[in-house]
Amino acid sequence: MTVRVRFAPSPTGYLHIGGARTALYNWMFARKHGGQFILRIEDTDQKRAVRGADVALMDALRWMGIDWDEGPGVGGPHGPYVQSERANLYRQWAQWLLDHGHAYKCFCTAEELKARRAAQQATRGDQGYDRRCRYLSPEELAQRERDGLPYAVRFKAPTEGATVIPDVIRGDITVPNAQIADAVLLKSDGLPTYHLANVVDDHFMAISHILRADEWISSAPLHINLYDAFGWQHPVYAHLPLVLNPSGRGKLSKRAQAFDDGGRQVLVKVEEFRDAGYLPQALNNFLANVGWSFGDDREKFPIEEAIPRFRLEDINPAPTRLPYDKLDWLNGQWIQDMSPLELAQAVKPFLERQGYEVNAEALLAVASSLRVRLKKLTDAADFLRFLWDDEGAALTADRLTHNKLPDDAVRRALSAARDFVAAAQPFDAETLNAGLTAIGEAHTTNSKAGPFLGVLRLAVTQQDVSPPVFESIIALGRDHTLFRLDTAISLLEQETTPDGTG
């Protein structure tokens, strides 16, 4: 069997993290078996469609590295891949069901249906459609057709026995047919509902496996019966486990922010993760672990290594919470794997988005130390604030001290450092390390440079937490470093003046 799977989002919003997990599992399954991953946009619910959402969905998938073999922008032999462009096909097969006695015309208006539901609720009766149009006499049906009344097409669901849904993850799911409603397949405006379009498209796109969220289990009996009515072989089903809030209490909603145990809002849309400074490698790694395990007690892995191990039978059907603290850890690990150049290039857009202009050379100079500090790319701004903020922390003469540096030694050492930096050739970390270390050793009581280099770093960066001093000086550049040293020396000189200010 050629494996063909699909991800079929509705453009009613942006890509939810639960949907991203579904897309990733489908993509991994296709790639493992050398099959095809199809993207299909299910936009038949025009009332809920959000302008531009389809483009945002595709952008999010591309950012994750999920490519599609057939679909919008790619094409393929089974297109078009947008359901609103396939309306004639759905009408054709709805008519086929009518002609072959598997469906019927329903002339009930929205107002009539609403009134009946209210009456059913009042008596706590069955809340489903009462099938009255299913049992219209030929004369009653003919009269309604002559009157030109609008109608929807409903499926004639079986009323006796049971329907079995074979599921790779959950085993056979048996549903009594008495629980299956006569669902609307074609609305009175001629557009299909999800149920008809989904089954028709999956058949004509030759979908072999359906990996989808477990919220669709309730629809599966209807779909199985539609396949039977058409005389088509249904695909293999695998209903994925529910994704819970980070707290583990309740489903991770598509339309509202989730909250963790601390009451903090967490991210739910893929673009929110992207904009918050997570790497796609880390997010994919994280999502692959939500309901499935790589094995070997291994938490961090590239998705390419997970693909050969991925099996539907190994997915745990139990609802799974999203441990966002694990995502933070994974993201930090993936950042550490980046080369200095990769990290500098990745961080720069986030700094610019926050209004900071930093040249690439400066970022490259501090990238090595930056790698071990960051959990997210957005964290870089606080660590690198010294590159553009001359105010810095409240720098005072009292802070520019150390018990291993005798009176006035700090000022003299900083002055020596200033002269060295002004003349250093070449202006690189190796030269600065040798010269400034020697100055520190000459001015401390124990002949060790560490105490002075700590004071020097504070004078240069004006931050308690910053990159190592030599990297910071290279990133700042010679002129800016001299300005910072002049500021620190001036503070110390004011502290020692005989006019009572010190």
Side-chain angles (χ1 to χ4, degrees):
M1 175 192 296
T2 299
V3 169
R4 287 176 59 83
V5 296
R6 47 74 167 172
F7 179 58
S10 299
T12 55
Y14 299 98
L15 184 56
H16 182 267
I17 193 65
R21 196 274 305 266
T22 298
L24 180 67
Y25 277 9
N26 273 279
W27 181 81
M28 291 172 66
F29 187 71
R31 294 295 173 258
K32 174 180 179 176
H33 294 282
Q36 291 85 47
F37 174 75
I38 293 93
L39 177 65
R40 185 172 75 222
I41 303 298
E42 297 192 341
D43 63 342
T44 55
D45 191 348
Q46 295 290 307
K47 291 181 180 178
R48 293 180 55 228
V50 175
R51 190 179 189 87
D54 54 343
V55 174
L57 285 164
M58 290 186 281
D59 286 346
L61 290 173
R62 291 189 186 99
W63 176 77
M64 292 177 65
I66 296 177
D67 57 339
W68 47 97
D69 303 294
E70 299 174 25
V74 175
H78 303 284
Y81 296 90
V82 178
Q83 284 189 336
S84 59
E85 300 173 13
R86 300 167 64 86
N88 288 336
L89 183 65
Y90 310 132
R91 285 192 285 268
Q92 172 189 339
W93 286 97
Q95 186 61 50
W96 188 95
L97 291 171
L98 287 170
D99 293 342
H100 289 77
H102 298 298
Y104 60 94
K105 296 177 179 179
C106 176
F107 299 91
C108 299
T109 65
E111 292 75 15
E112 290 171 339
L113 293 173
K114 183 177 180 180
R116 282 183 222 150
R117 276 194 297 271
Q120 289 170 335
Q121 290 171 353
T123 59
R124 297 185 179 181
D126 184 2
Q127 301 295 303
Y129 176 62
D130 58 11
R131 293 189 166 109
R132 66 179 55 194
C133 287
R134 177 170 177 165
Y135 302 113
L136 291 175
S137 67
E139 294 76 19
E140 290 173 317
L141 175 60
Q143 184 59 54
R144 283 164 172 74
E145 289 177 337
R146 283 194 298 271
D147 292 341
L149 297 180
Y151 63 88
V153 176
R154 286 185 181 270
F155 182 61
K156 281 186 179 179
T159 56
E160 297 179 354
T163 297
V164 177
I165 305 102
D167 190 288
V168 177
I169 297 173
R170 301 164 189 276
D172 287 352
I173 302 170
T174 302
V175 178
N177 286 336
Q179 297 179 8
I180 305 174
D182 284 5
V184 173
L185 302 180
L186 198 72
K187 294 174 283 189
S188 58
D189 60 6
L191 288 176
T193 62
Y194 164 81
H195 305 293
L196 177 64
N198 174 276
V199 168
V200 169
D201 284 346
D202 285 343
H203 173 73
F204 285 101
M205 293 182 183
I207 300 302
S208 64
H209 295 72
I210 294 177
L211 283 61
R212 62 185 182 184
D214 70 350
E215 65 191 50
W216 295 109
I217 290 177
S218 61
S219 299
L222 170 61
H223 298 171
I224 290 281
N225 282 294
L226 270 170
Y227 278 106
D228 288 344
F230 284 127
W232 300 338
Q233 177 63 45
H234 65 75
V236 176
Y237 285 95
H239 288 94
L240 305 176
L242 181 69
V243 175
L244 301 175
N245 283 331
S247 65
R249 296 188 297 269
K251 176 184 173 182
L252 188 61
S253 172
K254 293 181 179 180
R255 296 179 178 84
Q257 286 282 8
F259 295 86
D260 66 11
D261 286 322
R264 298 167 298 180
Q265 283 193 335
V266 298
L267 310 178
V268 295
K269 302 173 184 175
V270 169
E271 67 267 25
E272 291 176 333
F273 289 88
R274 179 193 63 203
D275 295 344
Y278 291 100
L279 298 173
Q281 306 97 300
L283 187 62
N284 288 341
N285 185 169
F286 173 67
L287 289 176
N289 277 326
V290 180
W292 178 80
S293 174
F294 184 91
D296 302 333
D297 295 324
R298 188 172 167 189
E299 295 283 354
K300 177 180 175 289
F301 49 82
I303 209 67
E304 292 76 16
E305 290 186 21
I307 288 172
R309 292 173 172 244
F310 186 70
R311 294 185 346 125
L312 299 181
E313 295 85 352
D314 295 336
I315 295 174
N316 187 337
T320 306
R321 75 179 188 92
L322 290 178
Y324 280 67
D325 53 344
K326 181 61 66 66
L327 174 59
D328 287 345
W329 175 81
L330 280 171
N331 204 58
Q333 294 295 305
W334 278 101
I335 287 175
Q336 289 185 37
D337 287 348
M338 300 176 79
S339 71
L341 179 58
E342 288 172 334
L343 183 56
Q345 291 172 336
V347 163
K348 195 171 188 295
F350 286 91
L351 296 175
E352 291 172 344
R353 195 176 303 154
Q354 296 174 70
Y356 307 125
E357 292 187 12
V358 183
N359 65 61
E361 291 77 11
L363 290 177
L364 191 58
V366 296
S368 293
S369 60
L370 197 59
R371 283 187 301 185
V372 298
R373 293 279 185 176
L374 301 186
K375 293 295 185 185
K376 298 179 290 184
L377 297 177
T378 47
D379 296 340
D382 286 339
F383 192 55
L384 301 180
R385 193 170 301 279
F386 74 95
L387 292 175
W388 57 81
D389 186 359
D390 283 323
E391 298 299 324
L395 194 62
T396 64
D398 288 342
R399 299 184 66 201
L400 296 169
T401 60
H402 196 282
N403 58 14
K404 296 297 183 182
L405 294 165
D407 292 346
D408 201 38
V410 174
R411 183 185 60 78
R412 288 186 285 106
L414 287 178
S415 295
R418 187 214 183 279
D419 293 341
F420 177 80
V421 170
Q425 292 295 339
F427 190 72
D428 58 23
E430 184 177 355
T431 302
L432 293 171
N433 189 342
L436 295 173
T437 299
I439 292 171
E441 292 171 347
H443 287 81
T444 53
T445 56
N446 59 1
S447 299
K448 293 183 179 180
F452 167 68
L453 294 179
V455 172
L456 177 63
R457 183 183 59 79
L458 179 59
V460 168
T461 68
Q462 302 179 348
Q463 293 180 187
D464 293 317
V465 180
S466 66
V469 64
F470 310 122
E471 296 176 14
S472 296
I473 291 173
I474 296 298
L476 272 176
R478 193 192 306 268
D479 291 343
H480 213 151
T481 299
L482 295 177
F483 171 78
R484 296 280 177 84
L485 289 173
D486 286 340
T487 300
I489 293 168
S490 177
L491 283 172
L492 292 170
E493 289 175 343
Q494 293 173 28
E495 183 74 10
T496 57
T497 56
D499 60 359
T501 59

